[in-house]
Amino acid sequence: MNPFQTLLDIERNCRENAFKIPRQMTAERDWLGIAFKSSGFNFISPMASVSEVLRWPAVTELPSAQHWFKGTANLRGKILPMTDLQAFVTDKPHRTKASSRVLVVNIDGDAYGFVVEQVIGIERFFSEEMKPVPLQEPIDDYLPFLEGAFEREGAPWMMISFNAIVQSAKFYHLLSLKAEAL
Amino acid sequence: MTLKDDEDEALLKIFLEEAKDLLDAISAALQAWATDLAKHEPVLDLKRDLHTLKGGARMVGQPLLSSLAHELESFCDLHLSGHFTDSKAAYDLIFLAYDRMSAMIEALVKRGNLPAIDDLLEKLKDPASVEVAKIIEKNPENTEDKAKTESAPEVIRIKSELLEKLNNLSIENNIVRVNLGHHVDKLKMNLNESIRLIRSLHEKLSVHFKEEELRVTSEVLGLSEIHKTLTQNYTNVEALLSQQSRISLELQERLIDTRMVSFASIIPRLSRISRQVAAEVNKKIDFTVVQAEGEVDRNLIDHVVPSLEHLLRNAIDHGIESEARRAILNKPLAGKISIRFFRMGNDACMEISDDGSGINLEAVRRKAIKLGLLSEETVCSDEEIIRFIFEPGFSTRDEVSEISGRGVGMDVVNTVIKALGGNLSIETNLGKGTRFTIRLPFTTSMNRALLVTVQSQTFGILLSNVASIVLLSVKQIKEALNKQQPIVYNKKEYHLKYLGGVLGIQERPLISSTKESLPVLFFNFVDYNAALLVDSLAGSQEVVVQTLGPQFKLMDVFSGATLLADGRVLVILDAYAITARTRRKMEETVEQDHVVKKQPVVLVVDDSITIRTVTKNFLERHKYTIMTAKDGLDALGKVEEQVPDIILLDLEMPRMDGFEFAEKFKSNPKFSRIPIVMITFCTGDEEKKRAKDLNIEKFINKPYREPELLDTLDFLLDRDK
């Protein structure tokens, strides 16, 4: 056997026994999203729906607005309206923390900011991890905006749809009850 | 040149612009047809474009062009009906005609003589020839290429979105530049500080080190050299920045210029409409343009032209009397319609006036009563009566004509103008005529905004809406607010409202005793007047108003937002909606006097649950809304959720005591004006002094006496008993 033959053998062996690269293996079955925390639970949103993640910007508050509407910020020359996700969904006042981040979501050409507790990063899930959405407080409040859930290490990861939030009627009722009474 | 010539010239220009587009479309249709001569769609497209061209050519008095288009149109019809067996021959003839038509337009652009078209007309009229004749194209002499070189300034078309985008980029660029300026300024400060340090270091080293160790100081000298270079760099940066600043501003201005069109450009259209309407209603009209100065934002003009046309139709149809009637009234037979466009401050004003019969206010009044908008007994001022013509479905005309009188329109006109941030006013004189004046902000994108503050929050109000700004004495303001009496200014009555109250920030202004007067903004809208009290004015500036987006569609009080030089967002208030809100609120109050007034919110901060409960019950009986907190820390959270009107504060509490809370609370500009009443057992001089230092408004001994507490609250909240 000449050396070249040996090399060819090695190559063939490698090809036959090699692990496939992850992309080929999982392309059909995995799910990639931005992971973040809200109400202490893990949520994920499809990568494509979030265009950027901001630290807390300088915010101009609006009088007479609902408690969940945090105000407007300057996103490179454009006005970004900012909604606190937890406060919006649970309807309980919620204060932003140092770890809070703003997810910028583009829907129909308009940018909306959603304040979340903390951004975890990019997470990949597999279809076998898919589980029904657990029914428990305060996840119930999020139900109208959820598209499903994954379970990893016993903890649920809920798929949230910002589109559903922006399409909900409540999203447009910015005026607080107190202001309406005026 | 006479006015008529001017108009014709302007109309021709508009037509030629359109004709070029139509020729492009015709050429495209011909190309599509050439790919498959059996197809009908391209011929239908062709026909439609020819039809439009024919109409335009007629309008501008080009009979040759219009008859060529007309014959071609008929020829297309023949072809579509299957008249020709040889589609190719038909195509060739149309193509030839298209070429000739282009030559004619070309000639019109250069104001040259039109090529002859008799040969073509003959062939088009005699379709039989198509099948046999080979058409020989004559090259008309007078459309030689030589004229091509002498050209008007080149004009290109750009999509308005692109311009809008460029404009926004330029604005963004300016914001970044201003920020950069701030940083460069800081850089300079730090450079100055570092040179000071280097010098002092050098001095110290030269004193403490011996000759042989001066090596160290020489390194310090090296630092000083670097510093010099840095300073030089800084100077260069500063110079470049100032140059860039000039360029950016000019760029911004030029971009704004691209949006502007001259007022005069819409006059031909208005003049044509007035001729048409006059002919239809058989009246003689003397159409005069008194003044047509300046330019206006293209967007604005596009939106406002239909309203102007409507007003013009109304004036001719309703306003101007019939010739016979004018003869009896001893008026000139031709009714006079005058148009005036001018700038007034930051507004573009458009005036349409007629010398007709004026609006019969009695007829309007009767109609309003008939429609149930007014009761027989109600006494109305003339201004109030005129407002009824803005009601949907309101027309005093008995019969309906094609031109006007259908009662649709005036309300639409009014709505459109309001939506553009402007207002419409009417002056009428029975028997003498009517004048409609539209005032609009000069451009829809660049505006001047007045910056006003309420409870340390800053808002913008477009200056174009503000009629006047007056400093009124505190006494006058208190009287107007407490007794809900109107303020009379410039012979008009204005109901005063506090902006903080309208926005739900703070019901009543907190007027410090040192203030003698406060700024009040006066607004004159078509249908009402209003006055708005603000805490202070923070200057005015040019702003580019951006929309707040779809989420705000239900919030009418905010008309948009703009970015300030430091990058912060400034919210622009809609003066009309804001004052309408106060008006509605006022009317409601007047209607239902028994309705409970909004209760002041009192935050009771005390670690004793007994005291919290007792105070809560006591104050609730006296029409206060109560919030409670068990210590300073708890209170800081509570005030974030809802801002109270006043705070009753205990001194000694766990986690965070009263002084600590007051210090944190008062240092927040948002809260600094909210009064605090400290209620405590410790009333030593030291505590009193500390309370004074912290701007705590009042110090009361514990246990408090109920009347004393009520008096204090009334006094600090300036509450009507």
Side-chain angles (χ1 to χ4, degrees), chain B residues 503-520:
Chain B
L503 294 175
I505 303 173
Q506 165 98 21
E507 182 69 0
R508 290 271 169 150
L510 295 166
I511 304 171
S512 93
S513 52
T514 53
K515 280 258 158 103
E516 283 173 7
S517 58
L518 284 172
V520 173

Side-chain angles (χ1 to χ4, degrees), chain B residues 26-81:
Chain B
I26 291 172
S27 154
L30 281 170
Q31 273 176 20
W33 191 19
T35 57
D36 179 4
L37 287 171
K39 271 204 282 196
H40 273 193
E41 290 83 353
V43 188
L44 286 169
D45 289 346
L46 198 67
K47 225 189 97 188
R48 204 185 43 243
D49 294 329
L50 284 166
H51 186 81
T52 315
L53 188 73
K54 177 176 79 177
R58 251 184 218 163
M59 185 73 86
V60 295
Q62 294 296 329
L64 278 184
L65 197 56
S66 75
S67 51
L68 179 55
H70 175 75
E71 291 305 334
L72 267 171
E73 216 189 328
S74 317
F75 189 80
C76 288
D77 274 335
L78 273 179
H79 170 73
L80 288 169
S81 66

Side-chain angles (χ1 to χ4, degrees), chain B residues 226-471:
Chain B
I226 292 174
H227 187 273
K228 260 186 208 156
T229 320
L230 280 177
T231 309
Q232 186 56 46
N233 292 346
Y234 163 78
T235 315
N236 293 345
V237 169
E238 201 185 31
L240 286 171
L241 199 62
S242 102
Q243 199 179 343
Q244 193 215 6
S245 151
R246 226 177 34 245
I247 298 169
S248 310
L249 284 177
E250 182 162 356
L251 176 67
Q252 175 85 59
E253 278 168 22
R254 293 284 162 270
L255 278 168
I256 287 168
D257 283 351
T258 61
R259 307 166 58 103
M260 306 304 261
V261 291
S262 80
F263 267 137
S265 67
I266 55 168
I267 286 181
R269 193 164 152 187
L270 295 178
S271 160
R272 183 162 43 80
I273 285 167
S274 86
R275 283 198 303 273
Q276 271 174 8
V277 177
E280 284 165 39
V281 298
N282 203 15
K283 285 178 185 170
K284 273 205 185 111
I285 296 298
D286 171 14
F287 181 88
T288 330
V289 178
V290 181
Q291 192 182 4
E293 276 172 12
E295 292 180 315
V296 71
D297 191 279
R298 192 174 39 78
N299 276 335
L300 201 78
I301 219 118
D302 286 350
H303 283 101
V304 84
V305 158
S307 299
L308 284 173
E309 288 178 359
H310 183 87
L311 292 176
L312 192 60
R313 283 202 174 93
N314 253 342
I316 298 170
D317 191 24
H318 280 249
I320 303 286
E321 310 90 337
S322 68
E323 227 166 274
R325 176 104 186 114
R326 288 183 74 90
I328 297 169
L329 291 168
N330 225 357
K331 282 185 176 181
L333 290 186
K336 190 171 178 178
I337 298 275
S338 316
I339 304 271
R340 195 171 155 230
F341 293 148
F342 57 102
R343 257 194 95 157
M344 201 156 93
N346 284 304
D347 286 346
C349 301
M350 299 160 211
E351 224 175 70
I352 294 186
S353 42
D354 64 68
D355 69 343
S357 56
I359 296 173
N360 185 343
L361 294 175
E362 192 42 43
V364 175
R365 189 188 147 84
R366 279 199 309 272
K367 178 85 181 182
I369 293 170
K370 199 176 154 195
L371 289 174
L373 299 168
L374 194 67
S375 70
E376 289 275 1
E377 307 82 46
T378 319
V379 184
C380 287
S381 68
D382 290 357
E383 277 176 36
E384 283 167 321
I385 292 175
I386 286 186
R387 281 178 220 154
F388 284 113
I389 69 171
F390 297 131
E391 290 293 329
F394 197 95
S395 169
T396 56
R397 255 288 177 78
D398 292 331
E399 78 237 60
V400 165
S401 75
E402 264 306 294
I403 318 295
S404 53
R406 276 162 298 181
V408 286
M410 280 315 279
D411 60 319
V412 178
V413 168
N414 193 37
T415 313
V416 165
I417 288 164
K418 265 196 240 163
L420 292 170
N423 72 71
L424 170 65
S425 63
I426 308 173
E427 290 162 69
T428 186
N429 204 335
L430 197 62
K432 290 190 177 150
T434 308
R435 175 160 62 202
F436 291 89
T437 310
I438 298 174
R439 277 174 66 159
L440 291 171
F442 199 54
T443 77
T444 46
S445 59
M446 278 299 263
N447 275 296
R448 222 177 159 77
L450 181 69
L451 273 58
V452 300
T453 60
V454 169
Q455 298 295 306
S456 317
Q457 294 189 46
T458 308
F459 301 97
I461 292 180
L462 295 188
L463 259 178
S464 57
N465 289 318
V466 183
S468 15
I469 305 168
V470 178
L471 281 173

Side-chain angles (χ1 to χ4, degrees), chain B residues 651-706:
Chain B
L651 177 53
E652 292 197 8
M653 290 179 290
R655 296 204 298 172
M656 185 188 279
D657 72 17
F659 281 141
E660 222 179 313
F661 167 80
E663 194 174 354
K664 290 213 160 61
F665 184 75
K666 286 276 183 183
S667 65
N668 185 341
K670 198 162 82 182
F671 301 133
S672 61
R673 303 183 71 159
I674 294 173
I676 296 182
V677 179
M678 191 158 253
I679 304 179
T680 173
F681 293 113
C682 350
T683 46
D685 285 346
E686 202 179 314
E687 282 86 11
K688 279 190 177 153
K689 187 182 171 296
R690 178 113 192 258
K692 201 176 164 211
D693 290 343
L694 288 169
N695 286 325
I696 288 173
E697 278 73 3
K698 182 86 182 166
F699 213 89
I700 295 184
N701 286 341
K702 213 177 202 175
Y704 58 81
R705 288 181 303 112
E706 294 186 344

